[in-house]
Amino acid sequence: MEGLEEKLGGLSIARRSRPEEPTYLLDVALQPSGLLAVSCSNFTVHLHNKDTLSLLAEYRGHSGPLCGVTFAHASSDLLYSGSADGTVLAWDVRRPGSAAVQTFKSDPSHSFCSFDLNCADTLLCAGTEQINDEDSFLVFWDSRKPGGGLLGVYSESHSDDVTQVRFHPRDKDRLASGSTDGLVNVFDLSQGAEEEALLATCNSDSSAGSVCWCGADFTRLLCLSHDEGLHLWDLGQLDTDEPLTVFSSSDARSLATLADGAGVDYLVGGRWLEEAQKLLVVGGKKSGDLHLMECDGDGLRLMRSLEGGHGSTVRCFLWDAAGEALVTGGEDAQLLLWKPGGEELTVGKRETMKSDSALRVKSRPHKKHGYQKSKKATT
């Protein structure tokens, strides 16, 4: 069977989607039966065919910057989007361009900067921005209840913007959260109360940007910080005397040497590729070039560089295992499909579309200050 490195080695641009108006593409989600959802900096959600990238629908309903999109797992006709406007909305993808079928809200003061849905499609969680320079919250809803059944909040575990919440891919009660306070917390929600539910606190020593469950049994956590740090922890060691840290670097940009002898300018994110049993981390150059790297206990290793696609910073990616394809989206407003042996009908790199200063405001990148509050750390 062809290995991951061979598959990545054959990638080239197969399709390129260009919207009519300039917008940053911030996050992308896959519905295996054939759809891609993309959150945009103009507060809309775009629905694309995953094989042709043709635009199928545009959903409008948010009044603030979006913080992500995700499909339901069992009922994949449902698509969720979260926003700084304080709502998580559910859309029916069988009704292109229609209004949201469900709205989830909490306190009017809450502005969401992250959200996720658990693997059983029963529980939604959103992380808030810091309120009154003091409090931030994890908000929970029963996603099955009409009207958005608010279950409650956790309020003690983070002291700043909760930039990422990620449910475990197989355990419906396991949740990881990352924050600009520098902490990554892991909860067992079956325990109920916040203090009992908190299993571990890992310190990234910087503002946590993204969190990814990984490893053979999804017992590891990858954290990428806003200042390009990389931390890999093994939660399988929680009940042992062994350290949780598998690998840690305060600046991972130069860990993998590129052909020109330099490193990447930034890290886009990480994803666990279950079929290949490898952790893929994508880094980029400001020119738009992408670099695909394997992450393990030894750091980062370059597997493939992709050039000539994007014209500026890439903000999101995903790997479609069934289609053996890579999807990338960025600040040049392009959505690209990379496939083995792909041949694009049009040629030439898309020039950046980020001259409009309004895009910078709408994309709302998180502030990159360090953590402010000291908490017990499991090392």
Side-chain angles (χ1 to χ4, degrees), residues 232-306:
L232 185 61
W233 297 299
D234 185 358
L235 301 178
Q237 303 298 334
L238 274 176
D239 297 323
T240 74
D241 294 329
E242 297 298 316
L244 294 187
T245 301
V246 177
F247 182 83
S248 181
S249 172
S250 60
D251 187 346
R253 289 175 292 184
S254 60
L255 291 179
T257 304
L258 307 181
D260 61 2
V264 299
D265 293 331
Y266 61 92
L267 300 176
V268 182
R271 287 187 183 253
W272 176 249
L273 308 187
E274 190 166 6
E275 186 180 76
Q277 291 289 291
K278 292 185 183 296
L279 177 55
L280 175 66
V281 171
V282 174
K285 304 288 278 188
K286 293 175 183 177
S287 63
D289 292 341
L290 286 172
H291 304 282
L292 313 182
M293 301 170 283
E294 180 185 359
C295 178
D296 56 23
D298 295 321
L300 294 175
R301 181 179 66 84
L302 181 66
M303 291 190 290
R304 175 73 201 280
S305 295
L306 300 175

Side-chain angles (χ1 to χ4, degrees), residues 140 153-154 173 187-198:
F140 298 93
V153 302
Y154 284 176
D173 295 318
F187 300 92
D188 178 1
L189 302 179
S190 68
Q191 299 302 309
E194 182 173 2
E195 187 174 353
E196 288 73 29
L198 182 61

Side-chain angles (χ1 to χ4, degrees), residues 150-193:
L150 182 64
L151 297 174
V153 302
Y154 284 176
S155 60
E156 301 296 327
S157 300
H158 288 295
S159 60
D160 213 330
D161 297 357
V162 183
T163 52
Q164 185 92 97
V165 290
R166 279 289 177 262
F167 279 103
H168 191 279
R170 295 176 182 167
D171 185 340
K172 64 183 177 62
D173 295 318
R174 192 64 55 94
L175 176 73
S177 61
S179 167
T180 53
D181 62 11
L183 304 180
V184 175
N185 291 321
V186 180
F187 300 92
D188 178 1
L189 302 179
S190 68
Q191 299 302 309

Side-chain angles (χ1 to χ4, degrees), residues 26-337:
L26 305 175
D27 189 29
V28 60
L30 172 69
Q31 182 213 58
S33 59
L35 298 175
L36 289 171
V38 181
S39 62
C40 306
S41 63
N42 62 1
F43 310 162
T44 65
V45 177
H46 288 178
L47 198 65
H48 295 262
N49 178 290
K50 82 177 183 73
D51 296 315
T52 66
L53 298 191
S54 58
L55 182 64
L56 304 176
E58 180 181 78
Y59 296 97
R60 294 180 178 269
H62 288 294
S63 60
L66 272 64
C67 60
V69 286
T70 189
F71 285 98
H73 303 88
S75 305
S76 55
D77 292 327
L78 276 181
L79 169 67
Y80 295 84
S81 58
S83 170
D85 64 12
T87 67
V88 175
L89 300 180
W91 314 89
D92 187 340
V93 299
R94 297 168 298 183
R95 300 163 57 193
S98 60
V101 296
Q102 206 166 0
T103 300
F104 300 88
K105 295 181 180 178
S106 54
D107 189 275
S109 66
H110 290 171
S111 180
F112 301 142
C113 45
S114 58
F115 91 101
D116 199 16
L117 175 72
N118 75 349
C119 62
D121 294 337
T122 56
L123 193 63
L124 275 168
C125 176
T128 73
E129 293 184 356
Q130 187 187 55
I131 301 169
N132 299 325
D133 296 323
E134 184 177 0
D135 300 317
S136 57
F137 301 90
L138 294 172
V139 185
F140 298 93
W141 299 269
D142 185 334
S143 61
R144 300 163 295 181
K145 289 192 175 180
L150 182 64
L151 297 174
V153 302
Y154 284 176
S155 60
E156 301 296 327
S157 300
H158 288 295
S159 60
D160 213 330
D161 297 357
V162 183
T163 52
Q164 185 92 97
V165 290
R166 279 289 177 262
F167 279 103
H168 191 279
R170 295 176 182 167
D171 185 340
K172 64 183 177 62
D173 295 318
R174 192 64 55 94
L175 176 73
S177 61
S179 167
T180 53
D181 62 11
L183 304 180
V184 175
N185 291 321
V186 180
F187 300 92
D188 178 1
L189 302 179
S190 68
Q191 299 302 309
E194 182 173 2
E195 187 174 353
E196 288 73 29
L198 182 61
L199 295 180
T201 296
C202 303
N203 201 327
S204 68
D205 292 325
S206 184
S207 173
S210 66
V211 175
C212 167
W213 291 97
C214 54
D217 297 311
F218 294 103
T219 58
R220 291 185 172 188
L221 266 182
L222 171 72
C223 172
L224 302 180
S225 68
H226 284 125
D227 56 3
E228 317 307 341
L230 183 151
H231 310 275
L232 185 61
W233 297 299
D234 185 358
L235 301 178
Q237 303 298 334
L238 274 176
D239 297 323
T240 74
D241 294 329
E242 297 298 316
L244 294 187
T245 301
V246 177
F247 182 83
S248 181
S249 172
S250 60
D251 187 346
R253 289 175 292 184
S254 60
L255 291 179
T257 304
L258 307 181
D260 61 2
V264 299
D265 293 331
Y266 61 92
L267 300 176
V268 182
R271 287 187 183 253
W272 176 249
L273 308 187
E274 190 166 6
E275 186 180 76
Q277 291 289 291
K278 292 185 183 296
L279 177 55
L280 175 66
V281 171
V282 174
K285 304 288 278 188
K286 293 175 183 177
S287 63
D289 292 341
L290 286 172
H291 304 282
L292 313 182
M293 301 170 283
E294 180 185 359
C295 178
D296 56 23
D298 295 321
L300 294 175
R301 181 179 66 84
L302 181 66
M303 291 190 290
R304 175 73 201 280
S305 295
L306 300 175
E307 300 173 343
H310 288 280
S312 60
T313 301
V314 174
R315 295 288 287 264
C316 57
F317 79 95
L318 61 78
W319 175 254
D320 176 8
E324 296 186 350
L326 181 74
V327 177
T328 58
E331 295 183 3
D332 57 2
Q334 289 193 102
L335 187 66
L336 297 184
L337 177 68

